[in-house]
Amino acid sequence: MLNARATLDPAFVVGDLDRRLFGSFVEHMGRCVYTGVFEPGHPSATPEGFRQDVLELARELGISVVRYPGGNFVSGYRWEDGVGPVDERPTRLDLAWRSVETNAFGLDEFVEWTKAAGVEPMLAVNLGTRGVQEAADLVEYANHPGGTRLSDLRKKHGAEKPYDVTLWCLGNELDGPWQIGHKTADEYGRLAAETAKAMRLVDPRVELVACGSSNRGMATFGEWERVVLDHAYDHVDYISLHAYYEEQAGDLGSFLASAVDMDAFIDEVVAACDHVKALHRSSKRLRLSFDEWNVWYQQRFAGAANLPWEERPRLIEDEFSVADAVVVGSYLITLMRHADRVGVACQAQLANVIGPIRTEPGGPAWRQTIFWPFAQAARLARGRVLRVEPVAPSYDTAAYGPVDAVVLTATHDEESGDVAVFAVNRSTTDEVRMAVDLRALPGLRVAEHHVLTDDDVRASNSATDPDRVRPRAGAGATVGDGTLRLRLPPVSWNVLRLSASD
Ligand code: AHR
């Protein structure tokens, strides 16, 4: 048994929680779109061809913003292919994922889907093979009220009102040699700045995300951010981060600690942004868009190079375990702990492709293990993120050295008075006895308590056993003498809602 403690005090705040932290990502990759969110002919399909079962799960997941259409896919994409009458749309080769793209789903369908799901669209423009003009054209098609060729084309396609998309990514992972149209930092920085200026001329409301590094391990990481922002700082609002983690060589302890890397990555990108802020004597503080993050077993994916040309191939349909869900919980906590600088975050991807939602064509949809921490955090995190510094014993990891066994954050909703506490115990062996000082928040009682853990950390959900892993009601959490006391089982995700009113 280990002991850990923390103090919650509404006087100490990280920042307001932006709902955009609970974003997701729909890429034309594998079966994320086709037979994922979109499957005309499925028993649950809406008249538009959207899978109603997936829509319901997306709503339950609580996603706020959805990035589209890629990913690597966007760097070879012509947005015009995905609008207007479906039978006139071209079938193309998708070079990023070596797939055949029918374009039966495109911008017009995606915007309709976001309305049905009740989420905000976040669009990426192609800065791989295309440039300033095509990006400005896309903003005109999407956002201009009417009276011009492209805005009238949107109307002709059935959308009288503008789509009013405000959040836009200036390309995707253009630092990566794998990217179609890969660029140097100078080339991309110039292009991003000029594209941003043109997009803003079409619609001054747009909020723009410049591509940061594809991952923290890129040889150009740090310098890429400096050079890109040297060109684009005044013209963009966010810089992106992407990170995927997996268990390496059976080292569960290191994998459970991988949020340490995410945490350091965020700190370093903040430093890179603020370095350019200082160089430019700017008063603007850039925010971060962590617009791809998740667990992804990349070792199991041989890449797309040798795949046959197919429509909607089964790509990276990882089946997630209890341990993966606990790790995803630790990433959510890490993102919330940086709510002062991280304004957008998108779990990659929504359905099938390393997604929290899995589907079978013509068959069921179900929740993967990683669905649960996301859905609970999105539902219960409200208001402001409190600055909490838990004190916990550490354990040794091969990848990160000594790491705290507990990662924890809390939110405080001033309106309702509710406090939500999210905690992960990373220890594979020890239960943690947790004491949380609540003297600055008197009158709270435990209103909800959920725990996701399992004797078998490798257990997962499947089409035949979709509820094998799910959170259970927690037991034994008490508030007394100004202290919340609870036990965190080994390898567990724990959520409490504390309320003065229920
Ligand atoms: O999410 C899968 C891929 O990972 C995305 O297309 C790309 O941006 C990243 O490398």
Side-chain angles (χ1 to χ4, degrees):
M1 173 78 75
L2 304 174
N3 289 299
R5 58 192 159 80
T7 301
L8 307 190
D9 187 329
F12 297 96
V13 167
V14 176
D16 289 337
L17 182 78
D18 197 320
R19 300 303 305 166
R20 283 174 168 173
L21 279 193
F22 300 113
S24 189
F25 176 34
V26 167
E27 177 167 10
H28 284 252
M29 175 180 180
R31 297 193 308 114
C32 187
V33 171
Y34 303 109
T35 72
V37 297
F38 180 72
E39 189 178 345
H42 186 272
S44 80
T46 65
E48 300 88 354
F50 306 150
R51 281 186 66 145
Q52 188 69 269
D53 54 356
V54 173
L55 271 172
E56 277 161 22
L57 286 174
R59 289 188 204 110
E60 182 186 330
L61 189 59
I63 49 176
S64 51
V65 63
V66 179
R67 182 169 174 253
Y68 174 85
N72 295 345
F73 172 81
V74 79
S75 295
Y77 184 52
R78 301 164 177 92
W79 66 265
E80 303 89 332
D81 289 350
V83 298
V86 173
D87 53 5
E88 291 172 21
R89 296 185 192 175
T91 293
R92 302 254 194 207
L93 296 181
D94 158 20
L95 302 180
W97 300 114
R98 234 184 123 79
S99 304
V100 172
E101 173 58 56
T102 64
N103 286 303
F105 187 96
L107 174 62
D108 293 336
E109 289 74 24
F110 176 67
V111 171
E112 281 311 305
W113 185 86
T114 60
K115 287 181 191 158
V119 300
E120 177 189 2
M122 174 186 195
L123 295 181
V125 300
N126 173 358
L127 292 188
T129 59
R130 306 188 102 188
V132 180
Q133 186 63 61
E134 293 91 344
D137 285 352
L138 176 50
V139 180
E140 180 182 329
Y141 180 89
N143 286 5
H144 196 68
T148 66
R149 192 170 113 47
L150 291 170
S151 54
D152 286 346
L153 189 63
R154 182 197 68 241
K155 291 184 178 202
K156 191 174 152 204
H157 294 160
E160 183 59 32
K161 288 201 181 134
Y163 293 153
D164 286 337
V165 178
T166 49
L167 196 53
W168 296 79
C169 301
L170 296 163
N172 178 71
E173 293 189 352
L174 285 148
D175 62 325
W178 60 85
Q179 201 70 209
I180 301 166
H182 165 226
K183 292 180 173 47
T184 65
D186 262 315
E187 289 166 347
Y188 173 69
R190 289 274 302 121
L191 180 58
E194 294 307 315
T195 307
K197 281 160 60 183
M199 290 169 75
R200 253 192 240 290
L201 288 173
V202 180
D203 184 348
R205 299 169 301 171
V206 294
E207 294 173 62
L208 300 171
V209 183
C211 291
S213 294
S214 302
N215 61 68
R216 190 175 175 224
M218 296 297 290
T220 49
F221 172 50
E223 185 62 357
W224 171 272
E225 280 73 6
R226 186 191 68 75
V227 175
V228 166
L229 291 178
D230 208 22
H231 291 293
Y233 196 89
D234 293 342
H235 307 292
V236 301
D237 305 284
Y238 295 89
I239 187 144
S240 73
L241 301 81
H242 292 178
Y244 295 100
Y245 300 95
E246 64 192 305
E247 186 178 336
Q248 305 272 2
D251 182 359
L252 181 59
S254 291
F255 176 53
L256 286 163
S258 52
V260 166
D261 185 85
M262 185 189 229
D263 191 62
F265 191 17
I266 293 171
D267 283 343
E268 288 161 359
V269 175
V270 166
C273 292
D274 291 351
H275 174 61
V276 179
K277 175 177 184 285
L279 293 176
H280 286 217
R281 276 68 171 155
S282 174
S283 57
K284 172 165 138 187
R285 211 160 76 128
L286 220 63
R287 299 189 83 195
L288 276 50
S289 172
F290 214 127
D291 46 41
E292 287 186 34
W293 66 266
N294 207 351
V295 173
W296 174 4
Y297 286 89
Q298 300 199 43
Q299 297 160 82
R300 298 178 195 157
F301 180 48
N306 297 314
L307 296 174
W309 289 104
E310 273 177 353
E311 287 178 35
R312 50 177 190 281
R314 285 183 185 262
L315 294 184
I316 62 170
E317 299 193 1
D318 291 350
E319 188 167 297
F320 293 114
S321 67
V322 171
D324 296 327
V326 170
V327 167
V328 160
S330 71
Y331 302 154
L332 288 160
I333 290 171
T334 303
L335 291 166
M336 287 191 267
R337 288 174 63 82
H338 287 280
D340 54 336
R341 294 305 290 266
V342 182
V344 180
C346 304
Q347 189 183 37
Q349 299 185 4
L350 180 63
N352 294 322
V353 177
I354 50 173
I357 299 172
R358 278 290 301 272
T359 70
E360 274 304 313
W366 66 98
R367 301 167 190 83
Q368 293 237 55
T369 59
I370 63 167
F371 183 98
W372 291 110
F374 193 110
Q376 294 191 319
R379 181 170 69 84
L380 292 173
R382 286 278 176 276
R384 302 197 294 178
V385 180
L386 299 183
R387 190 168 292 286
V388 192
E389 299 303 341
V391 179
S394 62
Y395 69 101
D396 285 323
T397 66
Y400 311 108
V403 166
D404 284 352
V406 173
V407 50
L408 181 146
T409 192
T411 59
H412 179 225
D413 182 357
E414 278 187 317
E415 238 172 78
S416 66
D418 282 7
V419 168
V421 180
F422 306 95
V424 157
N425 178 2
R426 293 159 157 164
S427 170
T428 54
T429 49
D430 287 273
E431 188 172 71
V432 172
R433 196 160 36 198
M434 185 87 221
V436 182
D437 187 330
L438 294 176
R439 281 174 298 173
L441 288 155
L444 293 174
R445 288 185 308 100
V446 177
E448 289 184 52
H449 180 196
H450 312 277
V451 183
L452 192 146
T453 190
D454 203 285
D455 290 342
D456 178 6
V457 297
R458 309 288 172 191
S460 61
N461 295 337
S462 62
T464 49
D465 199 356
D467 295 319
R468 164 68 184 81
V469 179
R470 55 180 304 139
R472 311 282 165 196
T478 58
V479 180
D481 301 331
T483 304
L484 163 69
R485 291 191 170 77
L486 74 155
R487 290 176 181 228
L488 313 176
V491 192
S492 64
W493 158 257
N494 307 265
V495 184
L496 290 108
R497 182 169 67 85
L498 308 174
S499 173
S501 49
D502 323 6

